[in-house]
Amino acid sequence: MGSQSDAFNKHQFTLKTVNSRGKNLVLASACSFAAMSLACGVGSAHAAENSINTLLEEVEVVARKRGDAERLQDVPVAATAYSGDQLEALQTRDLESLAFKMPNVQMDDAGTIKSTANFTVRGLGVNSSIPSIDPTVGVFVDGMYMGINAGVILDLFDLEGIEVLRGPQGLLFGRNVTGGAVVVKTAKPTEEFMSKVRFSTTAQQETNLAGTVSGQISEKVNGRLTAYYSDDKGWFENKANGNDNLGASTTWFVRPSFTVDIGESADLIVRLESGHVDADGPIGQNRGDFSQAIAASVGVTDWDNSENSFEVAIDNEGWAETDWNQAIAEYNQDVAFGNGTITNILAWRDYETAGEGDIDSLPVHLFHSYSLIDQDQLSNELRYSGRFGNTSVTSGVYWFSQDLKYIEERNLLGGALVMAGGGVQDHTAKGIFTQADIDLNESWVLTLGGRYSSEEKSADIASIIPGNGCDREACPAYDFSDTESWSAFTPKLGMQWLLSDSAQAYAVWTKGFRSGGYNMRNTAFGESPGPTDQEEQNSFEIGAKSQWLGGRVKTNMAVFHNTIDDMQREVNLPSETAGVAQLIRNTANATIRGAEFEMMAGLTDSLLMTMNLGYVDGEYDDIWLDLTGDGVVDGADYDLEIPRLAPWTYGVGLVHDLQLGSWGALTSRINYNHRDASAYTDNNAGMLSEVEMVDFSIGFSPDSGNYRLALFGKNMLDEVSEGNDTQLPGMLGPVTLGPNSTFTPINRGRIVGIELNYEI
């Protein structure tokens, strides 16, 4: 591989032109071109270095929080991980875009509040935008736990890598990570000067500019500055007013970072970030039986609200505005004791978002809502990692504090009924943990570990009811005040069998813990906002990882059996007086089991194939809350599907490199991924659709030159997928909405575009 290709991996300039919604001629030509390139002859090392070899590179992960990162294939953890270069090769732009590329993983936007995560791993997730509900899938950015699930679905520009750990990670990561952990690592400053710029423009859709510059500032200080700006003109058509640019947003962030060399054995990394989002409100459909008739009554007669349509018809397009600031300081000190490393991560984040949305999703004013979230968090983790003879040890302490404010206003029936509420919550979490990996001999490693966690929450809540004096800024008084604490010991026992240098098998038993909490969106008369009891999980997993042919074929597989006690759920019930009543309750004990398989294979020097397959199944063991709403707990409740359990997820992808002689190299990529339909609400009235995703890209790199031109497409089957599917009442006051009325935020459809990468 020549120096130009080496430089290409370091410096990129991107020009993207996207067209969507039925560009059939371009799509047909692209697909024919992709098929032809996949069928053509053998590629060269020049092309392979740009794509296939990049994707086959060993990925290093921090899943066990040791002093040095470890190879993904060496750790006894079910995980999918990508380096920064691999994310670029796969044209990954945000966490949500990874949703269909991993078995038993769903990374969706809830659709209610901009950039609010609705993540589920192995069937464990929380279907909610209520900020006081702790997520089951934890997101960690540079070692900082994101205390709420809002503000985490953003652009992944300039990253070192991403790890998605499946199953409870309650020992080393803690903080209620019962479903899994998403670990995001931003790129570090470099000593050698480098720069990277990406400019994108789309036909009536999106323009963005992102850039990075990195290099030595002084003898002991390296710096990096990353900046990002996006102007999205919107994708959807609003049949109520003819606006075909609904869903517009403007986003920017800046991320300066510094590394400081504090001698031969210590270093300091400081990462700062500040950002802003200004966007339209949620893009919701109402799929009710009477919805078209209601729309026709105000002159909207050509609206298709079926589950296969992207059309919406709303009278209030809403808005959302978000600001955040954060700082993370990581200090590493090498010590002689156990030839180990002491790491301290001090992190702070301030996040505020406010917005308005049309919840009835109709061209009449029936149910509009406003919400405000103001969150401030501070955390510190101090840990040691070292080795003593045949034993590797990781031990540490963790502290987390969060202040949370939430306000919600519901404006019903054209303003005839306005009510607001919300509250404030103080939250403190502490933990102490240790894990020892003991080499019993050359083939067997025993893992012993445990974590003790304690959490305390104090909440003052004003129920969202008329006449309590609350407005969009604050509440003068609260009808509920309480303080509660929870604690748990979460052990881990594992055994790893090293079959060879390239193969291992493992078995792990561990527990997970999610503290109880309060409902800051209390709308049900006579219902208490909490507290809920803590949720606990027992998990048993058997897995195997192997690679052959010098690492050109890699396979990972696992089977798991999880039992969940005192499952915490947000139970959504239609309400004639409030629109939707949302209860946070311990609903049941349940069992979830499944299996997953991943493979990456370099079939030739010029052709690579990827595969993933996931299966998950579950049932309720004990139920004590009436989930069906028929007044009793009986067989009908036990027959319900556990929400977010999509039985099958699977996909296959091909990447092909083709040498075009003196012209250069052509790289083609095509992916097909499938996810089964699944229930969204506990009563199974709300459903998430079955989805099939097809993506492709075709890139050309000249033999001499600093650029790469690519044609790409996303969601080529134009599939409709939902962020949520919340049921609305058949009657809202005196107004009849009819059966099956819903608030169903939807995601975008087909996008086709051109991308130009240019090295500087």
Side-chain angles (χ1 to χ4, degrees):
M1 179 83 173
S3 59
Q4 291 176 344
S5 296
D6 292 334
F8 174 80
N9 288 331
K10 296 179 180 178
H11 312 294
Q12 298 181 11
F13 177 85
T14 304
L15 173 63
K16 183 195 301 179
T17 304
V18 175
N19 297 296
S20 67
R21 305 185 199 169
K23 303 298 184 182
N24 296 326
L25 180 60
V26 175
L27 173 58
S29 301
C31 293
S32 299
F33 195 13
M36 181 176 65
S37 64
L38 288 171
C40 289
V42 177
S44 71
H46 178 97
E49 286 291 328
N50 280 341
S51 57
I52 290 179
N53 282 1
T54 297
L55 293 171
L56 285 172
E57 286 177 352
E58 292 285 358
V59 180
E60 294 190 336
V61 298
V62 295
R64 292 198 285 189
K65 290 191 176 182
R66 294 189 175 179
D68 297 318
E70 303 174 274
R71 296 191 313 164
L72 173 64
Q73 294 300 109
D74 292 340
V75 297
V77 175
T80 303
Y82 299 96
S83 68
D85 289 340
Q86 291 171 338
L87 292 171
E88 287 291 331
L90 295 171
Q91 293 187 332
T92 302
R93 289 294 175 260
D94 54 41
L95 291 177
E96 190 177 4
S97 65
L98 291 175
F100 294 93
K101 294 182 173 65
M102 306 179 195
N104 295 330
V105 173
Q106 300 179 48
M107 291 182 172
D108 299 326
D109 191 317
T112 308
I113 299 174
K114 183 73 175 178
S115 300
T116 297
N118 195 1
F119 291 176
T120 299
V121 175
R122 292 180 174 177
L124 278 180
V126 178
N127 298 333
S128 182
S129 58
I130 301 175
S132 55
I133 299 181
D134 292 317
T136 59
V137 179
V139 178
F140 298 81
V141 177
D142 295 323
M144 176 182 68
Y145 171 76
M146 306 285 273
I148 59 176
N149 60 356
V152 302
I153 304 179
L154 296 172
D155 197 286
L156 299 182
F157 177 71
D158 198 34
L159 293 190
E160 181 181 310
I162 288 180
E163 306 167 27
V164 178
L165 313 178
R166 296 186 290 274
Q169 308 297 322
L171 198 159
L172 296 177
F173 290 91
R175 277 302 302 123
N176 296 326
V177 186
T178 55
V182 179
V183 181
V184 179
K185 299 172 289 184
T186 62
K188 297 177 183 178
T190 58
E191 182 175 352
E192 180 182 355
F193 176 81
M194 61 82 63
S195 62
K196 176 171 63 174
V197 178
R198 187 180 80 197
F199 175 71
S200 304
T201 183
T202 69
Q204 298 179 348
Q205 286 193 47
E206 182 179 4
T207 299
N208 67 63
L209 176 64
T212 293
V213 60
S214 180
Q216 189 177 57
I217 297 176
S218 66
E219 183 178 352
K220 294 185 178 296
V221 179
N222 299 327
R224 190 181 194 101
L225 177 63
T226 299
Y228 173 89
Y229 174 80
S230 172
D231 182 17
D232 185 347
K233 297 301 184 183
W235 191 90
F236 296 90
E237 180 180 2
N238 184 5
K239 288 292 186 176
N241 60 12
N243 177 18
D244 60 359
N245 295 120
L246 183 61
S249 66
T250 301
T251 303
W252 64 261
F253 67 77
V254 292
R255 184 192 300 143
S257 58
F258 308 90
T259 58
V260 182
D261 184 0
I262 315 176
E264 295 182 357
S265 61
D267 65 79
L268 175 67
I269 306 172
V270 178
R271 299 176 172 96
L272 310 174
E273 185 170 302
S274 180
H276 175 82
V277 179
D278 194 350
D280 287 345
I283 313 301
Q285 284 182 338
N286 191 316
R287 296 176 176 174
D289 296 355
F290 291 2
S291 296
Q292 288 188 350
I294 295 173
S297 70
V298 292
V300 181
T301 59
D302 60 344
W303 171 38
D304 179 5
N305 67 331
S306 69
E307 63 181 15
N308 297 317
S309 169
F310 291 98
E311 295 180 0
V312 300
I314 57 178
D315 65 303
N316 180 10
E317 295 185 345
W319 58 273
E321 190 168 343
T322 300
D323 292 279
W324 74 94
N325 296 280
Q326 63 190 47
I328 305 170
E330 177 182 339
Y331 174 78
N332 295 285
Q333 173 75 59
D334 293 336
V335 294
F337 179 69
N339 194 26
T341 301
I342 295 174
T343 298
N344 192 87
I345 300 176
L346 175 65
W348 164 81
R349 188 174 198 246
D350 179 76
Y351 176 87
E352 183 173 354
T353 186
E356 188 173 292
D358 191 331
I359 307 304
D360 61 74
S361 302
L362 292 168
V364 292
H365 183 170
L366 296 177
F367 182 2
H368 296 170
S369 120
Y370 163 87
S371 63
L372 177 145
I373 300 172
D374 189 355
Q375 181 241 7
D376 189 281
Q377 68 173 70
L378 181 66
S379 64
N380 193 82
E381 179 174 338
L382 173 64
R383 69 175 184 266
Y384 164 82
S385 179
R387 188 170 181 87
F388 301 89
N390 66 338
T391 303
S392 295
V393 176
T394 300
S395 298
V397 293
Y398 178 78
W399 174 82
F400 171 89
S401 177
Q402 176 176 256
D403 296 324
L404 182 62
K405 174 185 176 182
Y406 180 69
I407 295 291
E408 180 175 325
E409 177 191 272
R410 297 191 174 189
N411 192 310
L412 307 179
L413 304 173
L417 178 61
V418 178
M419 49 188 174
V424 293
Q425 176 179 278
D426 295 329
H427 178 192
T428 302
K430 302 174 184 178
I432 181 170
F433 58 90
T434 188
Q435 176 171 308
D437 299 302
I438 307 167
D439 298 338
L440 301 179
N441 53 43
E442 293 183 355
S443 300
W444 293 92
V445 181
L446 173 66
T447 297
L448 298 172
R451 183 186 188 105
Y452 177 77
S453 302
S454 66
E455 304 203 17
E456 182 176 285
K457 298 178 182 179
S458 297
D460 296 310
I461 297 173
S463 298
I464 303 175
I465 56 176
N468 61 8
C470 296
D471 57 26
R472 292 190 172 194
E473 296 296 329
C475 289
Y478 303 102
D479 55 66
F480 176 88
S481 296
D482 191 46
T483 298
E484 186 60 88
S485 60
W486 303 266
S487 63
F489 176 68
T490 50
K492 181 177 182 179
L493 173 64
M495 185 67 75
Q496 183 181 20
W497 183 17
L498 304 175
L499 299 162
S500 68
D501 291 340
S502 58
Q504 62 149 311
Y506 64 89
V508 177
W509 170 78
T510 188
K511 293 191 68 174
F513 156 75
R514 192 155 70 98
S515 67
Y518 298 94
N519 182 7
M520 301 181 78
R521 188 186 291 166
N522 189 46
T523 60
F525 288 101
E527 296 287 350
S528 172
T532 54
D533 293 332
Q534 64 194 45
E535 176 184 291
E536 296 187 355
Q537 178 185 168
N538 278 276
S539 176
F540 182 68
E541 177 180 320
I542 299 175
K545 298 183 178 184
S546 60
Q547 50 186 341
W548 302 279
L549 303 178
R552 295 193 65 82
V553 178
K554 301 175 184 177
T555 60
N556 296 337
M557 62 192 74
V559 295
F560 56 90
H561 184 279
N562 299 336
T563 58
I564 304 98
D565 296 329
D566 291 322
M567 178 181 286
Q568 293 178 29
R569 297 289 309 158
E570 179 191 317
V571 181
N572 293 327
L573 300 173
S575 170
E576 293 186 18
T577 57
V580 178
Q582 291 146 302
L583 307 178
I584 303 176
R585 293 290 184 267
N586 299 98
T587 61
N589 297 332
T591 298
I592 298 176
R593 65 188 70 84
E596 49 212 19
F597 172 80
E598 293 180 286
M599 182 183 75
M600 180 177 290
L603 303 180
T604 70
D605 288 342
S606 60
L607 182 63
L608 178 140
M609 179 175 70
T610 62
M611 290 181 60
N612 72 84
L613 174 65
Y615 175 74
V616 64
D617 179 49
E619 71 269 341
Y620 291 113
D621 301 320
D622 301 289
I623 300 176
W624 45 85
L625 185 72
D626 174 23
L627 300 180
T628 61
D630 61 3
V632 295
V633 176
D634 55 14
D637 296 278
Y638 283 88
D639 289 340
L640 292 170
E641 297 179 11
I642 299 175
R644 301 300 295 273
L645 259 70
W648 290 99
T649 54
Y650 52 82
V652 62
L654 291 172
V655 180
H656 182 263
D657 288 321
L658 174 67
Q659 178 65 30
L660 302 176
S662 60
W663 285 14
L666 188 73
T667 300
S668 302
R669 177 185 64 85
I670 188 166
N671 286 88
Y672 165 79
N673 292 281
H674 169 92
R675 185 172 73 198
D676 276 355
S678 63
Y680 177 77
T681 57
D682 291 74
N683 62 7
N684 291 186
M687 297 292 294
L688 301 178
S689 300
E690 174 182 287
V691 181
E692 294 181 326
M693 286 289 175
V694 174
D695 302 334
F696 81 92
S697 65
I698 307 165
F700 170 73
S701 300
D703 218 19
S704 58
N706 300 337
Y707 68 89
R708 179 176 182 265
L709 179 66
L711 176 71
F712 74 91
K714 299 181 180 180
N715 192 6
M716 297 308 299
L717 299 181
D718 214 21
E719 292 276 278
V720 177
S721 61
E722 302 89 1
N724 74 67
D725 188 29
T726 300
Q727 307 303 295
L728 300 176
M731 293 286 297
L732 187 57
V735 179
T736 301
L737 275 69
N740 304 313
S741 186
T742 68
F743 169 61
T744 306
I746 55 176
N747 301 313
R748 299 186 180 197
R750 180 187 301 125
I751 296 176
V752 177
I754 297 174
E755 181 176 283
L756 176 64
N757 298 280
Y758 185 77
E759 62 179 88
I760 299 177

